[in-house]
Every structure is written in C-alpha cells, then in structure tokens.
Amino acid sequence: SIGHSFLEAENGIEGLEIIKKYNDEISILLVDYHMPKLNGLDMIEEIHSSSFGNDVPIILLTSEPPKNFKPLKERINNLKHG
C-alpha cells in the first residue's frame, strides 16, 4: 500500500466505531450493502445523521442486486438530497 492505510470492519456496527475513532484520517469509505448487524445503507444513514464522517465520500457496493431495488433507490436519493 503506497502511502495509504486501510481499515476494515467485520460488520456495520464495527464500521461506525472505526469511523468515529479515525474520522479525521479517513479520506473515502467503501461500504458493502450486505454487511451483517447493520447493513451498508443503514450505516450511511447513521453517518449522515451524526456529527462524524459527513465530509467523507462514500461508495456503496454490493455483489448482488437487492430484491426490491425501488425502495433502496429512494433511500439513496433521500441521502443525496436530505
């Protein structure tokens, strides 16, 4: 890793704890939608409603399309506009 450090979480709750602890050192988040304990979108909503991590770009990833994509798309649009 040339000039970069990586932090990894086993689940969304652990991810939130890492973001809170290392907020000033994080330059981008790669978040899996299908994380255990707290899914990626719920984690992103928690970040947006808190005082930490609001300025960090977030990329939401998934290995499979959600079964009900329309509500997911609406939640993502609400994050972008809310």
Side-chain angles (χ1 to χ4, degrees):
S1 67
I2 304 171
H4 300 284
S5 296
F6 298 90
L7 303 170
E8 184 177 350
E10 293 289 324
N11 58 64
I13 293 172
E14 184 180 318
L16 283 176
E17 292 171 4
I18 289 171
I19 294 164
K20 289 176 187 176
K21 184 174 182 177
Y22 297 101
N23 182 39
D24 293 337
E25 301 172 46
I26 296 173
S27 56
I28 191 166
L29 293 172
L30 301 176
V31 178
D32 181 11
Y33 177 74
H34 294 287
M35 286 189 292
K37 296 188 180 180
L38 183 70
N39 74 47
L41 193 52
D42 290 339
M43 183 176 134
I44 293 169
E45 287 175 338
E46 181 70 28
I47 292 167
H48 277 259
S49 68
S50 70
S51 61
F52 60 89
N54 287 317
D55 297 328
V56 178
I58 301 172
I59 298 172
L60 180 64
L61 307 169
T62 184
S63 61
E64 59 184 275
K67 292 178 183 175
N68 194 352
F69 188 72
K70 187 174 180 178
L72 176 61
K73 185 176 178 182
E74 290 171 2
R75 285 178 68 190
I76 292 170
N77 284 334
N78 286 337
L79 284 172
K80 293 192 301 187
H81 302 295

